[in-house]
Amino acid sequence: MKKTTILLVAATAIMALTTACNKSKEETKAPAAKTTATALQDGMKVAYVDLDTLQNHYKFFTETKEALEAKSKGYEESISRLSRELENAAASFQQNLQNGKYTSEDQARKEQEKLVNKQNNVQRKQMEYAEALQKEQDAFNKALHDSINNFIADYNKTHNYTMILSKAGDNILYADPALDITQDVLAGLNKRYKSKKK
């Protein structure tokens, strides 16, 4: 799996994070049909987290991404080595066949069957590696999603935001920089991750 594919999958998982935060009992009892202007007048607290910044600086994300990329590179190198061995064996078989080195059709057929088995082995390994990498990627995406969502829920117990939005690229056209809580969230995520690694 290519580095860009890993980044895209992980970025997609991060972009899915938009957490509606805890509401007070008074807000729960309030009529649901408020306009945005009325809600803001009533003290609605909104903030956002820049997911691109989290992607670049959240240690859990960066370290796990590097580990997945290293594993992917290892798989690619293994498949390349097996493919080269198969190509060399096929070239050797072709050369031996042309030079009449096989004493019988049965001997040539057995050598050809060995080649087919090697080819099947390469294809099987490719599928195994792809499946293993996909499982790890899925587990990583789930762990990342859970990590950020759980942290945001804990974070909001003391900050009492009505809503925390996720900002990735230009999906939010404008936001007052005063609403940006990215650095605070990032520091908390990294602190919690560091304590869990000990």
Side-chain angles (χ1 to χ4, degrees):
M1 187 176 281
K2 299 282 185 207
K3 178 178 176 180
T4 53
T5 305
I6 290 172
L7 291 175
L8 286 173
V9 172
T12 302
I14 287 180
M15 288 180 69
L17 301 171
T18 301
T19 306
C21 300
N22 300 332
K23 293 184 178 180
S24 67
K25 290 180 184 175
E26 291 79 23
E27 289 171 329
T28 305
K29 293 176 185 173
K34 284 187 174 182
T35 65
T36 304
T38 306
L40 289 172
Q41 287 172 1
D42 288 350
M44 182 172 159
K45 282 181 68 178
V46 177
Y48 69 89
V49 175
D50 187 329
L51 297 181
D52 295 335
T53 300
L54 289 189
Q55 180 176 323
N56 292 326
H57 301 289
Y58 180 23
K59 293 293 184 192
F60 171 67
F61 181 89
T62 57
E63 290 175 9
T64 307
K65 181 187 75 165
E66 286 171 10
L68 283 172
E69 287 172 354
K71 189 163 279 192
S72 177
K73 186 178 178 184
Y75 288 160
E76 287 174 8
E77 288 171 356
S78 179
I79 292 299
S80 292
R81 181 181 47 79
L82 290 172
S83 296
R84 282 192 305 273
E85 289 173 6
L86 176 63
E87 288 172 10
N88 291 339
S92 177
F93 170 76
Q94 190 64 36
Q95 188 174 15
N96 289 340
L97 191 63
Q98 287 174 348
N99 294 337
K101 294 208 173 179
Y102 299 114
T103 56
S104 67
E105 279 187 34
D106 189 50
Q107 185 184 18
R109 184 179 50 76
K110 285 180 181 176
E111 288 300 314
Q112 191 171 20
E113 285 174 3
K114 286 181 186 176
L115 276 177
V116 170
N117 287 338
K118 280 189 179 196
Q119 183 178 20
N120 290 339
N121 182 51
V122 171
Q123 291 172 343
R124 188 174 62 252
K125 284 289 184 192
Q126 281 177 316
M127 288 175 58
E128 286 174 10
Y129 291 158
E131 286 175 14
L133 205 58
Q134 187 60 53
K135 280 182 184 174
E136 289 191 50
Q137 183 69 56
D138 291 345
F140 166 57
N141 289 342
K142 184 181 184 317
L144 180 65
H145 184 273
D146 291 348
S147 170
I148 295 174
N149 272 351
N150 291 336
F151 178 80
I152 291 289
D154 287 342
Y155 175 87
N156 203 48
K157 286 176 184 175
T158 56
H159 292 82
N160 301 313
Y161 287 102
T162 309
M163 185 181 301
I164 299 176
L165 303 172
S166 61
K167 178 183 183 297
D170 59 357
N171 69 325
I172 294 177
L173 297 178
Y174 173 77
D176 185 335
L179 302 176
D180 187 352
I181 59 170
T182 306
Q183 292 306 318
D184 199 23
V185 169
L186 179 61
L189 281 167
N190 281 331
K191 182 178 179 182
R192 188 179 65 171
Y193 176 63
K194 187 178 178 182
S195 69
K196 286 183 178 180
K197 283 184 71 175
K198 290 181 181 179

